[in-house]
Amino acid sequence: MKRYNSNHLGRLLLIVAVALMGTAFHSCEEYPDAYESTGGVPEVVYVRLPAPESADSLITAAFMENTVVLVGKNLTSIKEIYFNDQKAILNNSFITANTLFVNVPKTIPEVVTNKIYMVTTGKDTVDFDFSVLVPAPAVNSISNEYAHDGQEVVLRGDYFIDDPNSPLSITMAGNLSVPAENILSVEKNAVRFVVPEGAEKGYINVSSIYGTSRSKFQFRDDRGMILDWDNLNANGGWRAGNLRTDDPVEGISGQYVYFSGAIPGDLSDWNEDGFSFNLWGSANGRPEGDLFDIDPSTALLKFEVNVLDGWSSNALQMIFTPWETNGTNSYIADASVPRGLWSPWKNESPFTTDGWMTVVVPLKDFKYDHTGKDIGAAGPGNFGGLTFFVYHGGVEGPASSPQICIDNIRVVPAE
C-alpha cells in the first residue's frame, strides 16, 4: 500500500484549502449582490421603473400588476411588503442590499393609505409614501351585442368598481345614460344591466371612480356584415340554409338560419341537410375577392346564436373559401383547408344558451383541419365564401339533437 508522510499530506491539504478559498472568493466576486437576509431596518430613498433606460425616472405611484424597483439601503432586511393593505410577493432573486424588484398587487386595496409597508426580519414596520393606481374600467365584451331594449345583458371586463361616493355608470351611444335602477349588479369583472329604451348602435362607455373607458366593441354592430338572412343570404349554394323568424325562438333581428336534427357522437357521419349552409361568393353574386377588406390576422368573426335542446357532440366548423369556389363540398373534409372550430359543449355539456348570445372567434384561430389539427391560417384571397357546418372537430361526445339558431354573421376589426 502506498504511504504519504505527514509533511507531504500537510502540503496537499494546504493546496486544497487554498483552492477552496479561491473558489469562495471568486463566487463572492462573481455574485456580489447575492441575496442574504440581514437585520436592522431598510431605508428606501426612491422608487423607479425597472427598465434600465428609465432608471433615472423616479415615480410616486404605479398601476396594479406593474413592476417597480425600490432603491435604498439594507433592503435585504425586508421580509414582507404591502402596498396599502395588499401583500405583494417577494422573490429573493430580485432583492439586493440596494434594490428590490416587486410587482404591485393586482387586488384593489380595501383600505387606501397611499403607503408601502415593509416588515423586517426583526418584525419592525417601515413605511414609504407611494400610491397604487387603479385603472379605469376595461370593457371587453357584452353577452349579446344585438339585445333588444328592455333585455338584460352582461358587460365583461375588469375594474368595474361601484364606489358609494362615485357609483359606476354606463352610457350608450348617443349619450344615452343607463338609469341607475337598470344596473342590476356590479362585480369586478362583470356588470349586469337592462338595455334602456332608445339604445342605438355604437360604443358603450363605463365610468367608475377611477375614470371612463370605451368598449372594445360596438353595440348592435353592423360593420362587415356577411349574412343577416334579411338582406344578405347564401342563395346560390347547394344549401342556402333553413330560415326561420319565430320558431323555435323569436328572431333577434328578422330572419335567422336554423340548424336541427340528430348528430352522432362518434364523428362517423354528418347531417349536411340539417346542419349547414354554403355561401359561395361567385354563385351568390358577391363582388370578386374577399368578403371583407381588413387584415385577417387582426379581424374577428362574430355572430349571434341561440341553442336549444342540448348540444354535446361535433364542432361548428366555420370555413372560408376562395371567391371562385362553388359546386362542391369537398373542402369540408379536406385536411388542407383551415377553418375555425366552435365546440362550446366541451366545457359545458350538454350546451344550451339562455336566449341569444354573441360568439366571437378571431380569424387568426381559423387554422384547424376538420379533425382539430393545427395546419396554420389562410392568407388574404381565401375569404370570398363562407360555409357553416356542424361536423367532426376531433373530440367525441354523446349523440345529441340540438336546435341551433344563428344570425348576423360579420367580420369586424379587433379593437
Side-chain angles (χ1 to χ4, degrees):
M1 183 174 69
K2 193 171 184 177
R3 297 176 181 271
Y4 290 97
N5 62 42
S6 59
N7 289 337
H8 182 77
L9 183 59
R11 286 195 298 272
L12 181 61
L13 292 175
L14 179 61
I15 291 171
V16 173
V18 170
L20 292 174
M21 289 174 63
T23 301
F25 283 128
H26 176 72
S27 298
C28 291
E29 291 171 0
E30 187 176 357
Y31 304 104
D33 294 324
Y35 180 81
E36 183 177 347
S37 183
T38 56
V41 295
E43 178 187 351
V44 176
V45 179
Y46 60 88
V47 180
R48 66 170 176 85
L49 297 174
E53 61 270 21
S54 304
D56 294 332
S57 300
L58 312 187
I59 58 174
T60 59
F63 283 102
M64 295 186 299
E65 298 189 80
N66 281 5
T67 302
V68 298
V69 184
L70 279 60
V71 179
K73 300 176 182 177
N74 196 31
L75 301 186
T76 46
S77 67
I78 299 173
K79 184 179 180 181
E80 296 178 354
I81 189 167
Y82 295 79
F83 289 76
N84 295 302
D85 60 347
Q86 298 300 317
K87 187 176 182 179
I89 297 174
L90 290 179
N91 186 332
N92 293 345
S93 299
F94 297 101
I95 305 174
T96 70
N98 302 111
T99 58
L100 185 151
F101 288 70
V102 64
N103 289 336
V104 179
K106 64 181 180 180
T107 305
I108 297 172
E110 296 182 7
V111 179
V112 178
T113 58
N114 294 322
K115 288 184 180 292
I116 297 174
Y117 297 99
M118 295 156 281
V119 181
T120 71
T121 54
K123 309 249 186 238
D124 293 313
T125 299
V126 178
D127 62 61
F128 184 81
D129 292 336
F130 193 83
S131 299
V132 174
L133 304 175
V134 179
V139 193
N140 297 335
S141 65
I142 192 170
S143 56
N144 180 2
E145 288 188 8
Y146 269 78
H148 298 165
D149 293 359
Q151 290 185 331
E152 289 186 17
V153 291
V154 178
L155 284 176
R156 296 187 177 91
D158 206 353
Y159 305 114
F160 297 132
I161 308 303
D162 193 29
D163 188 275
N165 298 315
S166 182
L168 182 134
S169 63
I170 303 171
T171 305
M172 311 290 287
N175 204 31
L176 175 65
S177 296
V178 176
E181 60 270 22
N182 278 22
I183 300 177
L184 306 179
S185 65
V186 179
E187 299 176 2
K188 182 174 179 289
N189 301 111
V191 178
R192 187 166 59 94
F193 72 98
V194 176
V195 177
E197 295 296 325
E200 301 175 2
K201 169 197 169 182
Y203 294 102
I204 297 175
N205 290 316
V206 178
S207 300
S208 77
I209 191 173
Y210 299 109
T212 299
S213 292
R214 191 183 77 172
S215 63
K216 296 180 180 179
F217 61 88
Q218 289 191 26
F219 184 64
R220 296 176 185 164
D221 193 356
D222 59 3
R223 297 173 298 167
M225 191 66 70
I226 295 175
L227 290 162
D228 62 7
W229 313 110
D230 298 306
N231 303 303
L232 296 167
N233 57 47
N235 292 347
W238 279 349
R239 291 168 181 80
N242 181 13
L243 304 186
R244 300 287 181 91
T245 57
D246 56 8
D247 180 20
V249 296
E250 180 185 355
I252 193 168
S253 55
Q255 295 190 110
Y256 58 87
V257 69
Y258 172 69
F259 291 167
S260 66
I263 301 175
D266 59 4
L267 313 179
S268 61
D269 200 1
W270 61 36
N271 182 346
E272 194 164 0
D273 288 331
F275 289 92
S276 74
F277 68 78
N278 319 101
L279 167 61
W280 295 329
S282 55
N284 187 251
R286 303 291 176 110
E288 185 173 356
D290 289 341
L291 295 167
F292 51 87
D293 58 5
I294 58 179
D295 183 353
S297 67
T298 60
L300 306 173
L301 180 83
K302 292 187 175 185
F303 57 92
E304 275 64 54
V305 67
N306 197 332
V307 180
L308 302 88
D309 293 345
W311 177 15
S312 58
S313 57
N314 287 243
L316 173 61
Q317 305 214 12
M318 301 159 285
I319 311 170
F320 281 102
T321 51
W323 176 84
E324 61 272 13
T325 298
N326 66 69
T328 178
N329 66 356
S330 61
Y331 53 84
I332 290 173
D334 186 339
S336 68
V337 177
R339 76 279 318 268
L341 302 176
W342 188 55
S343 307
W345 52 266
K346 289 195 296 185
N347 298 321
E348 180 186 340
S349 183
F351 177 79
T352 59
T353 62
D354 183 15
W356 289 92
M357 61 171 278
T358 298
V359 176
V360 182
V361 185
L363 288 194
K364 65 181 181 181
D365 290 340
F366 278 56
K367 59 182 182 178
Y368 303 101
D369 71 5
H370 65 287
T371 69
K373 179 183 177 182
D374 188 338
I375 59 173
N382 292 283
F383 296 88
L386 177 63
T387 293
F388 272 31
F389 189 17
V390 179
Y391 163 62
H392 214 297
V395 181
E396 295 188 4
S400 57
S401 298
Q403 300 180 76
I404 304 174
C405 311
I406 299 171
D407 202 0
N408 298 328
I409 302 172
R410 56 201 183 273
V411 171
V412 302
E415 299 186 48

